[in-house]
Amino acid sequence: MIGPLEELVEALCSLPSIGRKSAWRLALHLMERPEDEAVSLAESIISVRRKVKHCSRCFNFSENELCPVCSSQSRDQSLVCIVEKPADVFAIEKSGRYRGTFHVLGGVLSPLNGITADKLRISELKARIGKEQIRELIVGLGGSADAEATAIYLARLFRNDNVRVTRLARGLPAGMELEYVDQITLSQALCERTDMQYGKE
Ligand SMILES: [Zn+2]
């Protein structure tokens, strides 16, 4: 039987980069601070989970049916950067250089871990290419072997569609996730993107 404090520690432990020691520190900190601080933290977690959903077009987080990027008139809606997760959208947006839109896959292919194409939002991307005026897909996946395989899979999948498929320039640190790449490297990789060429079938 574990008490409420241990329960909170367990919950905090499940967060990324929070080890048991940090979890205890956070839990004890919350106990020492005034009660309303902890309540307001708890409320903002509940509120963000209830209000923020996925954009119905790009699957980034959004409070509305369409996220601000998808509904913006000043963004180039014919340019779509394919990323693994919403954190990558934040990283690219922070670079401040990208004027296109996004498509969040929800992961990368990893057959050994059971992540096959049907587990990702690939059919949704295919559908977008059918109905939107998309002229270029920028594959903006990280440098892991799975991300690499996914990039090649996508380039081959869309080779018969009338769309240019490019990828972020090499020079991104090998194996690194996009969200940890610094802004200068990321905006350079975007500017110097290269074509992924696969002959039509
Ligand atoms: Zn969107």
Side-chain angles (χ1 to χ4, degrees):
M1 182 73 183
I2 61 168
L5 196 53
E6 287 84 356
E7 220 168 272
L8 175 59
V9 169
E10 288 303 317
L12 290 169
C13 266
S14 71
L15 298 172
S17 69
I18 305 285
R20 188 154 294 273
K21 219 165 146 187
S22 307
W24 269 108
R25 199 159 48 225
L26 288 169
L28 294 173
H29 173 82
L30 288 169
M31 287 306 296
E32 283 158 11
R33 302 293 304 162
E35 187 178 333
D36 56 350
E37 273 185 29
V39 169
S40 107
L41 173 65
E43 279 171 353
S44 65
I45 294 172
I46 294 167
S47 157
V48 82
R49 285 310 310 240
R50 294 211 172 126
K51 285 191 196 142
V52 181
K53 310 279 178 211
H54 290 284
C55 168
S56 66
R57 191 191 287 166
C58 73
F59 301 96
N60 186 17
F61 291 134
S62 178
E63 275 184 67
N64 300 309
E65 173 78 14
L66 286 181
C67 73
V69 172
C70 284
S71 48
S72 166
Q73 298 285 335
S74 63
R75 305 293 292 239
D76 183 351
Q77 302 286 338
S78 72
L79 191 57
V80 177
C81 184
I82 305 168
V83 295
E84 191 180 330
K85 52 195 181 305
D88 302 329
V89 174
F90 284 102
I92 292 175
E93 286 296 279
K94 238 179 18 200
S95 81
R97 291 284 292 275
Y98 182 60
R99 302 308 306 156
T101 63
F102 295 94
H103 188 87
V104 180
L105 280 185
V108 288
L109 293 172
S110 182
L112 291 178
N113 297 311
I115 317 258
T116 45
D118 58 304
K119 301 269 185 351
L120 304 176
R121 299 189 190 102
I122 292 176
S123 59
E124 289 87 343
L125 179 58
K126 190 92 178 151
R128 286 184 66 180
I129 290 167
K131 63 178 188 245
E132 293 172 36
Q133 306 284 321
I134 296 173
R135 76 188 152 79
E136 182 180 342
L137 294 173
I138 304 169
V139 180
L141 302 173
S144 69
D146 282 342
E148 190 63 26
T150 309
I152 293 166
Y153 174 89
L154 292 172
R156 292 176 69 95
L157 182 67
F158 298 120
R159 71 175 134 175
N160 291 324
D161 293 284
N162 196 19
V163 62
R164 183 181 171 207
V165 183
T166 58
R167 66 183 310 157
L168 296 181
R170 310 271 172 171
L172 289 178
M176 194 182 232
E177 296 209 28
L178 222 59
E179 63 174 303
Y180 303 119
V181 178
D182 70 274
Q183 293 170 34
I184 294 165
T185 308
L186 195 51
S187 59
Q188 207 161 18
L190 263 166
C191 288
E192 293 166 8
R193 61 188 186 270
T194 53
D195 281 289
M196 291 188 79
Q197 280 165 341
Y198 282 94
K200 289 191 186 202
E201 272 179 339

